[in-house]
Amino acid sequence: MAKDDKSSGEVASAEAGRDFIRDIVKADLDAGRVEQVVTRFPPEPNGYLHIGHAKSICLNFGIAEEFGGQCHLRFDDTNPTKEEQEYIDAIEADVRWLGFDWGQHLYHASDYFERLYNWAEDLIRSGKAYVDDQSQDEIRHNRGTLTEPGKNSPFRERSVEENLDLFRRMRAGEFPNGARVLRAKIDMASGNINLRDPVLYRILDAEHPRTGTTWKIYPSYDFAHGQSDAIEGITHSICTLEFEDHRPLYDWCLENLNVPSRPHQYEFARLNLTYTVLSKRVLTRLVQDGHVTGWDDPRMPTLAGLRRRGVPPAALRDFVKRIGVAKANSTVDAGMFEFSVREALNKTSLRRMAVLRPLKVIIENYPEGEGEELEAINHPDDAAAGLRKIKFTRELFIEQEDFMEHPEKKFFRMSPGREVRLRYAYFITCKEVKKNAAGEVIELRCSYDPATKGGNAPDGRKVKATIHWVSAAHSLPAEVRIYNPLFSKPDPSGGEGFANDLNPNSLEVLSGARLEPALAEAQVGVPVQFERQGYFCRDRESTPERPVFIRTIGLRDTFAKDVAKEKAKG
Ligand code: ATP
Ligand code: MG
């Protein structure tokens, strides 16, 4: 695990199933400070969920499960300009897919708009909020900097009556977007910029997916979040570190309002992954600018993309458990995630044979027009998965890369005159190499030893390689899509520069692949292992005539090696 320099050397205690947040929850329960733990997962419906959100989901729902509490799904839908029903639906589906259930507890910040509004009036009445007519730029300018205090707004001392009147007219839609805001009256000289009279309400004439055009003003995240937590009786409001500086404001709101409960906010380190961008803004751009085919493009780190790719939810949960929860930001090696994926798939995936880049093999001493059925095992560690029959014929396909006319030193697979084993079938020997006009190998003429049926020689002679194959006549033509990381840099830009860091080879399409017939029954999204190749699943873009399989993941982590090789080349 690579750590950035902010790391304090703190180690996440994932092995023990414990972390500092679980310790806090446990201590609060033990001391009787809370009776039942209530957490929430609060996505803003302005994009699809990604693997970083999975960390937060597993944490919030996991804690509720482990400590006998409950976890709410709450849409933090306070910005109608960016939020859409499509995202709301996708988020619900993704949380369920990951294996969590909010039961009755589905909420929306927008359910609380009326109460939040009334609380804002309460603040005005107690002299703790005012309507500011400064423009956005003026407000930003007068906020000061980290080293300089801000300047009081000229509208800061308005009377309660005037503030109430203006705020009500803001609500009534009397003013255009951006004309006025409601601000908390806290301290323009505070060392914490979040406390320099933060904006609580802004005018936004936009249609909201749930409340339609009822509202002309919308609360800020800071004014909505803590109060929503209080309304729902959240005990532990868990969020990522960038909200640490907002905590004093979270507390200020709760302390200055007559709220029904008193939640507390705790921050943990967000997930960062090598070769991956987890900024919703960039993910949205990837989709909108057509760098990918959609939110569920199998190269996307979204839960929808990972699901389509064939990643089982158990692999995500396992990964999140392994990385643990810490208080210092760090970047996790994408290889760790892949490890969890391989672990899960190795256990569950049926084995099949498929040839991705076919090279024709003719077994010259095998009778023409004949064939036989051989037995193949479906899973090496699971006898209950049983056997299947595969067709052996005179014409076969093997993988192009399993043949070398002039073999390198460590190449033990097929080459002229050398005997190899065809998995589950026979020993064969290459007798002759046929080439096209361009000098490319297009066909191998081979012989087989009928005494080696099943893949063993009665005289005990050995071969150095076993290769996979399919029958030419009985295999299915298919398209296979190989996905590589979407970004070619381990630390791609999460800002405007993201497009420069895209991997130009993130998708490789193999249009002439051949599959063993059993793969006709493969289900969309359920990976099988293509022996010696990796895990693949049927994609929803398949047609009955032409299956499309996508690679979930290779058998080994070859990408890191490829990158190292590229680097060495310069
Ligand atoms: P934005 O970039 O729009 O702020 P976001 O990814 O923070 O997006 P939210 O919808 O606000 O999106 O996130 C919902 C919850 O998921 C929040 O509590 C947030 O802290 C958490 N979360 C978001 N990204 C990560 C991440 N990379 N790792 C862990 N938790 C995350
Ligand atoms: Mg956020």
Side-chain angles (χ1 to χ4, degrees):
M1 205 195 287
K3 294 213 164 191
D4 70 13
D5 46 17
K6 267 197 269 169
S7 163
S8 61
E10 178 187 353
V11 180
S13 52
E15 293 77 20
R18 288 280 294 278
D19 52 65
F20 77 97
I21 295 187
R22 285 175 166 87
D23 288 345
I24 291 168
V25 170
K26 186 167 185 306
D28 285 345
L29 287 166
D30 288 349
R33 281 188 292 271
V34 302
E35 229 169 87
Q36 195 204 24
V37 59
V38 185
T39 56
R40 87 284 169 266
F41 173 64
E44 183 181 353
N46 60 351
Y48 277 55
L49 298 181
H50 55 60
I51 187 169
H53 294 117
K55 178 176 181 181
S56 176
I57 295 168
C58 289
L59 183 61
N60 280 293
F61 281 92
I63 285 178
E65 256 168 33
E66 290 158 38
F67 293 95
Q70 67 196 37
C71 181
H72 301 180
L73 175 61
R74 182 199 314 144
F75 287 103
D76 184 12
D77 54 350
T78 53
N79 184 357
T81 57
K82 289 198 206 143
E83 296 161 7
E84 287 173 30
Q85 190 60 39
E86 178 195 348
Y87 300 140
I88 296 180
D89 297 340
I91 288 169
E92 290 188 20
D94 287 346
V95 174
R96 282 213 178 84
W97 173 75
L98 200 53
F100 298 103
D101 184 3
W102 51 89
Q104 311 282 304
H105 303 290
L106 175 63
Y107 305 106
H108 303 81
S110 59
D111 298 337
Y112 314 134
F113 279 171
E114 192 65 39
R115 291 176 84 175
L116 291 168
Y117 175 84
N118 289 328
W119 273 322
E121 283 207 353
D122 288 348
L123 278 184
I124 293 173
R125 273 187 287 269
S126 55
K128 289 173 186 153
Y130 62 97
V131 172
D132 194 349
D133 300 356
Q134 292 182 102
S135 70
Q136 245 185 3
D137 282 345
E138 285 168 323
I139 290 179
R140 195 178 309 121
H141 183 252
N142 291 333
R143 191 175 286 137
T145 63
L146 287 173
T147 49
E148 270 174 59
K151 276 201 213 84
N152 282 354
S153 162
F155 305 96
R156 201 172 194 260
E157 301 308 327
R158 275 179 163 149
S159 69
V160 168
E161 289 66 38
E162 190 183 1
N163 279 320
L164 269 182
D165 173 63
L166 286 170
F167 189 48
R168 287 174 185 163
R169 288 164 60 195
M170 279 168 65
R171 175 182 181 160
E174 287 187 27
F175 311 119
N177 284 354
R180 293 190 157 90
V181 292
L182 182 74
R183 297 177 76 175
K185 194 192 264 191
I186 306 180
D187 178 6
M188 288 304 291
S190 172
N192 183 339
I193 292 183
N194 292 297
L195 294 180
R196 294 183 189 170
D197 293 7
V199 171
L200 306 181
Y201 268 90
R202 58 216 183 293
I203 300 171
L204 260 184
D205 192 10
E207 183 153 349
H208 188 282
R210 289 177 60 85
T211 59
T213 53
T214 308
W215 289 90
K216 309 292 177 206
I217 54 173
Y218 289 92
S220 62
Y221 170 88
D222 288 312
F223 193 66
H225 206 87
Q227 283 75 277
S228 301
D229 285 343
I231 290 170
E232 293 175 21
I234 301 298
T235 54
H236 299 79
S237 182
I238 304 165
C239 61
T240 36
L241 279 175
E242 65 270 25
F243 293 104
E244 195 170 11
D245 291 344
H246 293 241
R247 184 167 11 107
L249 178 54
Y250 180 98
D251 290 335
W252 183 91
C253 289
L254 296 176
E255 278 153 18
N256 286 285
L257 293 169
N258 186 16
V259 288
S261 77
R262 181 61 169 90
H264 291 273
Q265 177 183 303
Y266 302 92
E267 307 89 18
F268 70 100
R270 68 193 291 119
L271 171 68
N272 300 301
L273 262 187
T274 56
Y275 297 100
T276 310
V277 172
L278 295 180
S279 144
K280 263 199 243 172
R281 221 173 37 77
V282 170
L283 297 181
T284 306
R285 285 284 302 278
L286 288 172
V287 174
Q288 285 174 354
D289 300 355
H291 296 294
V292 295
T293 56
W295 285 97
D296 74 344
D297 185 299
R299 291 165 294 184
M300 290 283 273
T302 52
L303 299 189
L306 295 170
R307 173 169 60 233
R308 180 163 170 206
R309 178 105 176 223
V311 170
L316 275 157
R317 294 194 303 264
D318 176 69
F319 168 65
V320 166
K321 207 174 193 175
R322 280 175 202 276
I323 57 174
V325 179
K327 256 191 265 188
N329 277 319
S330 65
T331 300
V332 175
D333 190 324
M336 269 187 75
F337 174 55
E338 299 194 343
F339 176 84
S340 291
V341 176
R342 289 192 186 95
E343 281 271 298
L345 293 182
N346 181 39
K347 283 190 209 117
T348 54
S349 305
L350 296 176
R351 272 49 170 177
R352 296 289 182 254
M353 291 205 283
V355 173
L356 304 186
R357 296 173 186 84
L359 172 60
K360 183 162 264 182
V361 166
I362 312 275
I363 312 286
E364 291 189 310
N365 58 337
Y366 197 89
E368 247 169 276
E370 285 187 25
E372 65 192 297
E373 290 202 314
L374 303 170
E375 282 190 331
I377 51 177
N378 287 328
H379 198 294
D381 308 320
D382 180 10
L387 300 170
R388 69 186 185 286
K389 303 266 194 234
I390 45 175
K391 233 10 190 292
F392 188 82
T393 51
R394 178 183 158 91
E395 291 196 13
L396 309 170
F397 289 116
I398 66 165
E399 208 69 65
Q400 283 170 19
E401 61 177 26
D402 282 337
F403 175 79
M404 271 183 108
E405 190 177 10
H406 306 289
E408 293 166 353
K409 227 177 171 182
K410 286 198 180 146
F411 186 88
F412 300 115
R413 290 164 277 162
M414 186 96 105
S415 61
R418 185 186 290 165
E419 190 170 50
V420 297
R421 176 190 292 112
L422 292 182
R423 177 97 159 133
Y424 299 122
Y426 294 100
F427 285 10
I428 64 166
T429 307
C430 173
K431 300 287 184 194
E432 193 191 337
V433 181
K434 295 229 157 147
K435 297 182 183 175
N436 62 13
E440 296 157 342
V441 177
I442 50 164
E443 188 181 297
L444 304 178
R445 313 289 294 193
C446 299
S447 66
Y448 86 117
D449 178 354
T452 58
K453 183 165 178 172
N456 289 301
D459 63 4
R461 77 182 188 276
K462 301 278 184 229
V463 287
K464 283 206 168 143
T466 301
I467 62 177
H468 63 274
W469 56 275
V470 294
S471 157
H474 298 275
S475 55
L476 311 168
E479 176 178 321
V480 171
R481 298 178 187 162
I482 308 279
Y483 294 105
N484 294 306
L486 189 52
F487 291 95
S488 47
K489 272 199 186 164
D491 54 344
S493 163
E496 276 310 306
F498 75 91
N500 300 325
D501 296 340
L502 284 166
N503 177 5
N505 304 313
S506 60
L507 168 62
E508 230 175 298
V509 177
L510 307 176
S511 52
R514 308 287 297 214
L515 315 176
E516 70 160 275
L519 285 166
E521 278 126 57
Q523 283 170 43
V524 170
V526 180
V528 290
Q529 187 189 102
F530 289 0
E531 294 208 19
R532 303 179 60 231
Q533 300 284 5
Y535 299 94
F536 294 76
C537 66
R538 189 188 186 79
D539 187 60
R540 59 169 167 73
E541 286 178 3
S542 298
T543 60
E545 303 76 47
R546 189 169 177 74
V548 174
F549 276 74
I550 61 185
R551 187 172 75 179
T552 310
I553 195 165
L555 283 185
R556 283 171 301 277
D557 183 4
T558 55
F559 180 73
K561 267 188 254 149
D562 290 349
V563 171
K565 253 194 252 162
E566 289 286 314
K567 262 203 190 133
K569 269 196 256 163

